[in-house]
């Protein structure tokens, strides 16, 4: 079964728990799929929008983000955390972070894109936890990028709701201890979901070109000194 995927999907990226699910990458869009949860497709340029978004048989909702004008053809991607995927775009080398927006512990409702910078376009990306990214570019040079965890504020349209007004202007506020505790928990949770986990990158080391490389797989030998 196609599960509503686009015809030109060229990569499936599994996402670790607690987020779970997979991100299917095509040239003009991405689709988030989860076995027990809602799925959606995000169009990243005009070519990613179907002629008829409500066509019969379509099983995934379409999110229109064509204003981003991102083309994912031949891109490389690597998971940095359960909610963040790093992309290297061809031919410009522009780096993008796809932030999965959660409502709850593992419910993905949207994807926000940010760009932390630019590098040589990558054939392959590999991550070592959240600390380093190894980028092999199209001419064979290898760069080790040091990551620094940061955070970005969610767009206003995705901000969690503010706490409701519990009394009218001029009325005495309710002062029960239980209510104060609940309001405090609400504010703490709201602060958590107001921001996205993000990263900045600095080049920590480079190796000279070894000639054009189209595939690189890091290999670590256990029990031997490197």
């Amino acid at each position: 079964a196609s599960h509503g995927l686009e015809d030109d999907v060229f990569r499936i990226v599994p996402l670790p728990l607690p987020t779970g699910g997979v991100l299917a990458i095509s040239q003009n869009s991405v689709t988030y799929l989860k076995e027990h949860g809602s799925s959606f497709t995000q169009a990243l340029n005009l070519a990613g929008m179907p002629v008829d978004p409500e066509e019969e048989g379509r099983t995934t909702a379409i999110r229109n983000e064509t204003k981003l004008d991102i083309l994912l053809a031949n891109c490389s991607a690597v998971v940095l955390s359960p909610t963040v995927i790093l992309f290297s775009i061809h031919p410009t080398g522009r780096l993008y972070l796809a932030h999965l927006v959660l409502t709850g512990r593992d419910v993905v409702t949207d994807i926000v894109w940010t760009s932390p910078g630019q590098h040589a376009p990558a054939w392959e990306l590999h991550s070592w936890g959240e600390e380093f990214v190894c980028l092999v570019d199209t001419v064979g040079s290898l760069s080790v990028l040091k990551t620094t965890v940061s955070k970005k504020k969610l767009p206003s349209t995705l901000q969690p709701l503010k706490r409701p007004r519990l009394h009218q202007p001029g009325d005495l506020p309710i002062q029960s201890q239980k209510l104060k505790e609940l309001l405090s928990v609400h504010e703490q949770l709201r602060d958590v979901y107001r921001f996205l986990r993000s990263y900045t990158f600095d080049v920590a080391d480079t190796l000279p070109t070894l000639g054009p490389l189209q595939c690189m797989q890091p290999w670590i030998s256990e029990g031997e000194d490197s």
Side-chain angles (χ1 to χ4, degrees), residues 163-169:
R163 71 184 188 188
R165 184 186 295 274
L166 300 178
H167 57 86
Q168 297 300 320

Side-chain angles (χ1 to χ4, degrees), residues 118-192:
Q118 192 160 351
H119 200 78
W123 276 119
E124 292 287 340
L125 291 170
H126 294 274
S127 63
W128 282 274
E130 291 185 279
E131 296 183 357
F132 295 97
V133 172
C134 178
L135 184 153
V136 182
D137 65 33
T138 52
V139 296
S141 298
L142 185 149
S143 298
V144 177
L145 307 181
K146 177 73 171 67
T147 65
T148 302
V149 177
S150 61
K151 62 181 182 180
K152 289 186 177 294
K153 194 173 183 179
L154 267 173
S156 58
T157 54
L158 298 175
Q159 284 286 325
L161 296 175
K162 296 182 179 180
R163 71 184 188 188
R165 184 186 295 274
L166 300 178
H167 57 86
Q168 297 300 320
D171 294 344
L172 292 176
I174 302 173
Q175 298 292 336
S176 73
Q177 185 62 33
K178 185 64 174 178
L179 182 58
K180 288 182 179 180
E181 293 175 359
L182 290 174
L183 292 177
S184 176
V185 171
H186 177 275
E187 286 303 310
Q188 292 174 18
L189 291 174
R190 185 172 182 272
D191 284 343
V192 169

Side-chain angles (χ1 to χ4, degrees), residues 60-148:
T60 57
I62 297 291
R63 309 283 176 82
N64 186 345
E65 291 294 339
T66 56
K67 63 181 182 293
L68 296 173
D69 197 26
I70 298 174
L71 179 65
L72 298 179
N74 300 317
C75 74
S76 298
V78 67
V79 175
L80 297 182
S81 75
T83 58
V84 184
I85 303 99
L86 173 66
F87 287 79
S88 174
I89 304 300
H90 286 223
T92 63
R94 172 65 61 182
L95 298 175
Y96 281 99
L97 293 172
H99 308 266
L100 305 184
V101 180
L102 302 179
T103 54
R105 185 169 180 267
D106 60 355
V107 179
V108 177
T109 56
D110 213 331
I111 302 174
V112 172
W113 295 77
T114 62
S115 177
Q118 192 160 351
H119 200 78
W123 276 119
E124 292 287 340
L125 291 170
H126 294 274
S127 63
W128 282 274
E130 291 185 279
E131 296 183 357
F132 295 97
V133 172
C134 178
L135 184 153
V136 182
D137 65 33
T138 52
V139 296
S141 298
L142 185 149
S143 298
V144 177
L145 307 181
K146 177 73 171 67
T147 65
T148 302

